[in-house]
Amino acid sequence: MASVVWINSYEKFVAELVAQERPGLFAVLREYGERDDAEIAAWGLAWPDHVEVVLSGGARLRSSSTERVASLVGRGRNCGVRIVWVGEEPRGDQSAEE
């Protein structure tokens, strides 16, 4: 019986550890016109000290911040770029560029 309690305790510890350490998941969204159209340019994972991104073409990059990633993804294009966090409710007051 003691081993069952230990396993349940351990599984709870593991679940808490994973929840605490998981990176944030986000999409890098390009928006065209007055929000007439959009595309996901990249997917990323954010840790406290850096972000890692996979672009739609498969290229990967590592950066210090999501703001820097948005700047790089939007460079040379006539579009707005913003970060959309997975699991967050959309807000009506978001600007087209971050």
Side-chain angles (χ1 to χ4, degrees):
M1 184 71 164
S3 63
V4 172
V5 172
W6 182 83
I7 290 172
N8 289 342
S9 176
Y10 178 74
E11 291 303 322
K12 182 179 177 190
F13 163 76
V14 168
E16 290 171 356
L17 178 65
V18 169
Q20 200 172 47
E21 299 281 331
R22 77 181 171 122
L25 176 63
F26 64 92
V28 182
L29 186 72
R30 285 189 189 125
E31 295 178 308
Y32 300 96
E34 293 296 316
R35 297 188 177 181
D36 296 324
D37 197 10
E39 69 176 333
I40 296 174
W43 285 99
L45 295 172
W47 284 270
D49 63 340
H50 74 283
V51 297
E52 295 190 22
V53 175
V54 178
L55 299 169
S56 60
R60 298 173 182 265
L61 66 93
R62 182 179 178 144
S63 181
S64 59
S65 70
T66 55
E67 292 81 11
R68 177 86 172 120
V69 168
S71 173
L72 291 170
V73 169
R75 184 173 288 154
R77 295 181 178 266
N78 187 21
C79 64
V81 177
R82 66 177 162 123
I83 303 299
V84 179
W85 294 96
V86 174
E88 288 189 8
E89 290 295 319
R91 298 183 318 224
D93 63 342
Q94 291 178 329
S95 63
E97 296 187 37
E98 186 156 303

